Amino acid sequence: PFQGKGELVEVRVHAGDNMKRGDVVAAVEAMKAKYDVCAPADGRIRRIDARVGSDVQAGEPILSISR
């Protein structure tokens, strides 16, 4: 799993989309490897909190959901 800091390289969802726990919602590149970011729970995307190209820390929220 992704640990540390990486670059958000892809967001696969949009505000208003429904998702299920485990769905791949984004990708982060760190140490020349690409890691999928999976939804932590079922819900609806309220907003995207990080932009593609920005640095993100492992565990940092990149989107907000409502359940």
Side-chain angles (χ1 to χ4, degrees), residues 3 8 10-12 19 27 31 35 41-42 44 49-50 52 60 66-67:
Q3 294 183 11
L8 182 63
E10 182 180 12
V11 176
R12 299 182 182 177
M19 64 181 189
M31 298 179 62
Y35 298 91
D42 295 352
R44 177 172 283 192
D49 297 323
V52 170
E60 175 184 337
S66 58
R67 296 184 192 183

Side-chain angles (χ1 to χ4, degrees), residues 40-65:
D42 295 352
R44 177 172 283 192
I45 308 292
R46 289 190 329 170
R47 69 178 181 271
I48 308 298
D49 297 323
R51 292 183 182 207
V52 170
S54 64
D55 288 335
V56 293
Q57 187 73 32
E60 175 184 337
I62 59 171
L63 52 86
S64 298
I65 62 171

Side-chain angles (χ1 to χ4, degrees), residues 16-32:
D17 288 353
N18 290 314
M19 64 181 189
K20 292 187 183 250
R21 182 175 188 217
D23 286 352
V24 176
V25 296
V28 172
E29 191 172 285
M31 298 179 62
K32 299 183 182 180

